[in-house]
Amino acid sequence: MADDESERNPLLEKEQIQRPQSSGSSSSINASTGDVESDPIQSLLSSNSINRSEESQPEKLLSAKFESLDYDVCENALYLREEKKKTTKEIIRKELARWFVSLAIGVCTGLIACLIDYLIELTSSIKYGYVRNYVEKCVEDFCLYAPFLMWVAFNAFIVMFGAILVAYGEPMAAGSGIPQIKCYLNGIKIPHVVRIKTLICKVLGVVCAVAGGLAVGKEGPMIHSGAVVAAGVSQGRSTSFGIDFKIFEYFRTDTEKRDFVSGGAAAGVAAAFGAPVGGVLFSLEEGASFWNQALTWRIFFASMTSTFTLNVVQSYIKGNPWELSNPGLINFGEFEDSKYAGFEIPIFMVMGVIGGLLGALFNQINYMLTCYRLRYVKQRWNQVIEAMIVASLTATAGFVTIYFNNDCQPMKDKTQTNLVQFFCDDGQYSTTANIFFQTPESSVKDLFHNQPGSYEVKTLGFYTLVYFLLATWTYGLSVPSGLFIPCILIGAAWGRLTGIFFNYAFPEADWADPGKYALMGAAAMLGGVVRMTISLTVIIVEATGNISYGLPVMIILMIAKWVGDFFNEGIYDMHVHIQGVPILGWEPPVMSSNISAIEVMSHPVTVFRTKETVGRIVSILKADEHHGFPVVSNFDPHDGTISRETFGTFEGIIIREQLIILLKLKVFEENPDYQLILKNIKASDFRDTYPRFPPIQQINLTSQERDMTVDLTVFMNPAPFTISDRASLPRIFRLFRALGLRHVTVIDDKHQVIGMVTRKDLARYKIWRHHGQISMEEIQISHG
Ligand code: ATP
Ligand code: MG
């Protein structure tokens, strides 16, 4: 903040507000210790039942390290000059380029999905082939410890590679990446999230995690991969590798890049589940603030091309060119007999409740584990060892289950060579072994489609329990890992159990199809854990190719979400909040309408004058971490005689990066070449260094130059969004959410600057739902 502005401030005294400035450690609405009755803020606190968070739970802190994306276009003189000069040809070229980039995103994402699938199939078949041969030999020779040790060693070794890639290569590649992409689409720059290195570690890491037998899926990571592809392709360069193809330079802005990333995420969903519409809805549900028609159309195109590419390439890999039956990495298979009766809907609803409860339990256990990890599993080698332990335990659990639960079923078809016989007689196969000895995707299909009577109750019960515990432990390990598959498997197992129960209870009933109940269980479990509704319904409908099940699936997802929300947050939101990311929800916090801009804003404000000295710019940029600065007239920073309530007449807003480029290019009025520089400077000079601008410390200026002045009027945004000091929090929230803003200046009736509001100021107001209670809390900003 400006050097002489940190003194006592009458405005603050009047309103009894203490703003959390750079220390950020105190709750920002701070009732004065004086007369409670006469204190408007105190009454506000009680009327809104705002609890001040004193506990040190990680999700009750917002981290200052995350910066926002700016979706608003800076309409400065340079931009307008560029726009005016645009010819029809250029406009068409740019629009065509947008479509071309969307196509390229779809194709590349589809190809990456194929690569992941191919590598997993290859590694898994080698692993299972070896272990299976040994088992079959050792059943007769009583040397079962050998294949067991081999299985454990295979798993631990393969997973070790994945964990090393993540822990030492790029920690951002861990997990599914969906929380990070959600944040990006919400408007927050998560460091390293869309880097090529992250993509490489993600792709190779997920192959290791799945092939290493962990309770993970490859679908979630596809969404992240699609997003990175989009960010890379649309920028026409890789800053990490220092390669610049000198194309698509006009897409080097937050707005364009975020649009393409939403297309990439959608293409990822499309390739993962064969669900292009689900992909579009995913991007809209998670990111878009408003329905942007042109963008939706392009996102849809990227999704379609992505499934198409995957389908075509898979048909060639499988040896049936152009037999397009593999639109996604996972395919739930056809439900031929897709009937359900009206009276089953209440049963499905109860399943939704069970899914919600189990999901809440899943998330709670995972939350506790994550907190434990944050505290005690910090070193990289510890993370690698933890992943190896879980991999070994997964193999052990599989082996023990098979050993003690020899559920033999007759082989229907002699050609089913992939079935594992284990301890069963000839002509039979072990269903337990089969669940563990194939890729999770095949297990999902089996649970959905195997004939009634294919599984024993104890097999499914034990499997549900073991997989539930393993999956809760696995999500959050230092490996790329998707959550969809584990949730579907757990849900399908207990769902099938429900079906079997009805079969026992009503032996005559033809509606009690275990496969159908397995699907409903999977939906319930997914809904309970991830709590997405719109896109998930469509994804399930598309992956089953079955519209009839749409309504029950939707009802189940909704109920599972409601029930789960009663206890805690969805797993993705939980991980977002644990990281302290200042994400903004869909709606403003309830109970916040009597909080006004004055209470939300930061005050005092660091401002620049329309003609500012180079020295003051440099010293403020060095001392302050802010990114947006109001540009004002009628303001004297050196006038110490007035006690300041306002900070000059608002003229516009300027961004830190713009100032740094101005200093770098020495656009100083006293410069002899000033007119020439002004004539030649282009909007692209500001885009060139996007997204990594040089820090202010790298700008060297002589003491003579420090006395020069910069005319900020040419470069500032002269018409940014401002807000009146009387605006309510919900109003400011909607402005930010709908327009994707980074900062807004608060002005009074006389157009004087009185405060600044950024995303973090809004994200601090959080609604907590706990055991049915709703309360609003103000969380603190941590600068750690
Ligand atoms: P971002 O981090 O999104 O790039 P930023 O660094 O400008 O933006 P935040 O990190 O969100 O802003 O803000 C931290 C705190 O600083 C907030 O409480 C915000 O209101 C305050 N702030 C931001 N800009 C100014 C400014 N020019 N003068 C005074 N306070 C500011
Ligand atoms: Mg900041």
Side-chain angles (χ1 to χ4, degrees), residues 651-669:
E651 300 289 345
I653 207 157
I654 192 131
I655 316 290
R656 166 179 287 266
E657 282 81 29
Q658 290 174 326
L659 290 168
I660 291 179
I661 303 290
L662 291 180
L663 296 179
K664 199 174 144 195
L665 301 178
K666 302 197 193 300
V667 193
F668 310 143
E669 281 187 321

Side-chain angles (χ1 to χ4, degrees), residues 22-273:
S22 41
S23 74
S25 58
S26 67
S27 182
S28 73
I29 295 188
N30 205 335
S32 109
T33 45
D35 184 1
V36 173
E37 228 111 74
S38 63
D39 185 344
I41 304 303
Q42 182 59 45
S43 57
L44 204 145
L45 277 172
S46 47
S47 70
N48 279 313
S49 63
I50 298 179
N51 303 324
R52 255 158 295 158
S53 45
E54 266 126 35
E55 305 127 274
S56 61
Q57 283 158 281
E59 82 277 22
K60 297 202 172 173
L61 286 175
L62 278 189
S63 172
K65 71 173 184 230
F66 297 109
E67 287 175 13
S68 309
L69 297 169
D70 206 345
Y71 209 60
D72 190 25
V73 179
C74 171
E75 285 188 348
N76 59 11
L78 294 183
Y79 171 83
L80 294 178
R81 192 160 79 190
E82 199 181 74
E83 285 296 298
K84 269 184 211 144
K85 270 201 268 170
K86 258 188 189 162
T87 58
T88 320
K89 212 167 116 194
E90 275 169 349
I91 295 170
I92 294 175
R93 198 192 323 139
K94 194 168 170 186
E95 194 49 30
L96 282 178
R98 284 208 181 94
W99 283 92
F100 177 76
V101 170
S102 304
L103 174 79
I105 292 170
V107 172
C108 295
T109 309
L111 288 177
I112 288 179
C114 294
L115 179 72
I116 292 180
D117 198 52
Y118 177 75
L119 290 179
I120 289 178
E121 288 288 334
L122 188 74
T123 343
S124 302
S125 63
I126 296 175
K127 182 181 93 173
Y128 291 132
Y130 266 110
V131 178
R132 196 182 298 161
N133 280 347
Y134 261 85
V135 169
E136 256 134 48
K137 236 193 286 156
C138 280
V139 169
E140 280 141 36
D141 304 348
F142 298 103
C143 59
L144 271 178
Y145 62 89
F148 165 64
L149 289 180
M150 192 172 178
W151 192 2
V152 169
F154 259 127
N155 273 14
F157 188 69
I158 303 176
V159 168
M160 183 185 79
F161 271 111
I164 289 178
L165 271 173
V166 172
Y168 291 90
E170 181 51 73
M172 196 39 75
S176 69
I178 296 181
Q180 288 86 342
I181 296 307
K182 253 182 104 145
C183 295
Y184 193 90
L185 296 182
N186 195 272
I188 303 149
K189 235 180 269 178
I190 306 268
H192 298 203
V193 72
V194 286
R195 294 233 178 131
I196 183 99
K197 192 171 154 201
T198 313
L199 178 67
I200 296 171
C201 294
K202 191 117 212 166
V203 169
L204 297 179
V206 77
V207 171
C208 296
V210 177
L214 288 179
V216 299
K218 54 187 184 283
E219 284 70 18
M222 264 322 295
I223 300 172
H224 190 174
S225 306
V228 185
V229 166
V233 172
S234 66
Q235 301 298 293
R237 69 172 166 195
S238 158
T239 359
S240 309
F241 292 121
I243 308 166
D244 191 345
F245 295 104
K246 302 263 178 229
I247 45 170
F248 310 138
E249 279 144 344
Y250 32 83
F251 293 147
R252 293 175 189 172
T253 64
D254 281 350
T255 324
E256 296 280 359
K257 193 169 169 185
R258 202 184 95 172
D259 281 355
F260 285 117
V261 168
S262 56
V269 177
F273 301 98

Side-chain angles (χ1 to χ4, degrees), residues 20-21 64 66-68 602 604-606 625-630 742-743 756-761 764 781:
Q21 288 305 334
F66 297 109
E67 287 175 13
S68 309
S602 284
V605 189
T606 314
E625 285 188 339
H626 303 315
H627 276 77
F629 302 92
R742 191 172 180 177
H743 28 234
M756 270 301 262
V757 176
T758 67
R759 159 188 285 275
K760 270 166 225 146
D761 297 319
R764 285 204 324 264
I781 299 181

Side-chain angles (χ1 to χ4, degrees), residues 613-750:
T613 59
V614 174
R616 185 161 179 269
I617 296 181
V618 172
S619 55
I620 285 182
L621 290 188
K622 278 189 180 155
D624 248 8
E625 285 188 339
H626 303 315
H627 276 77
F629 302 92
V631 179
V632 296
S633 51
N634 307 323
F635 174 76
D636 180 6
H638 306 294
D639 186 356
T641 57
I642 49 166
S643 37
R644 200 154 271 134
E645 286 183 32
T646 59
F647 301 85
T649 313
F650 185 64
E651 300 289 345
I653 207 157
I654 192 131
I655 316 290
R656 166 179 287 266
E657 282 81 29
Q658 290 174 326
L659 290 168
I660 291 179
I661 303 290
L662 291 180
L663 296 179
K664 199 174 144 195
L665 301 178
K666 302 197 193 300
V667 193
F668 310 143
E669 281 187 321
E670 291 78 0
N671 205 328
D673 302 330
Y674 181 61
Q675 288 307 329
L676 192 69
I677 298 177
L678 217 50
K679 207 171 135 215
N680 290 335
I681 198 163
K682 291 186 295 293
S684 60
D685 291 325
F686 293 85
R687 286 196 297 259
D688 264 356
T689 39
Y690 179 83
R692 289 177 222 170
F693 297 92
I696 182 69
Q697 286 74 12
Q698 277 181 15
I699 308 288
N700 295 320
L701 296 163
T702 61
S703 58
Q704 244 175 347
E705 284 170 332
R706 281 172 169 262
D707 291 332
M708 297 183 175
T709 47
V710 187
D711 182 1
L712 297 180
T713 47
V714 188
F715 307 100
M716 70 184 187
N717 185 355
F721 295 97
T722 53
I723 200 119
S724 142
D725 52 350
R726 292 189 297 262
S728 68
L729 174 59
R731 195 172 179 75
I732 311 175
F733 187 98
R734 281 194 206 100
L735 186 71
F736 265 81
R737 190 71 174 90
L739 300 175
L741 302 185
R742 191 172 180 177
H743 28 234
V744 153
T745 312
V746 183
I747 52 174
D748 66 7
D749 295 345
K750 301 195 188 79

Side-chain angles (χ1 to χ4, degrees), residues 12 77 105 384 494 526 691 713:
L12 288 186
I105 292 170
V384 175
W494 67 255
L526 267 178
T713 47

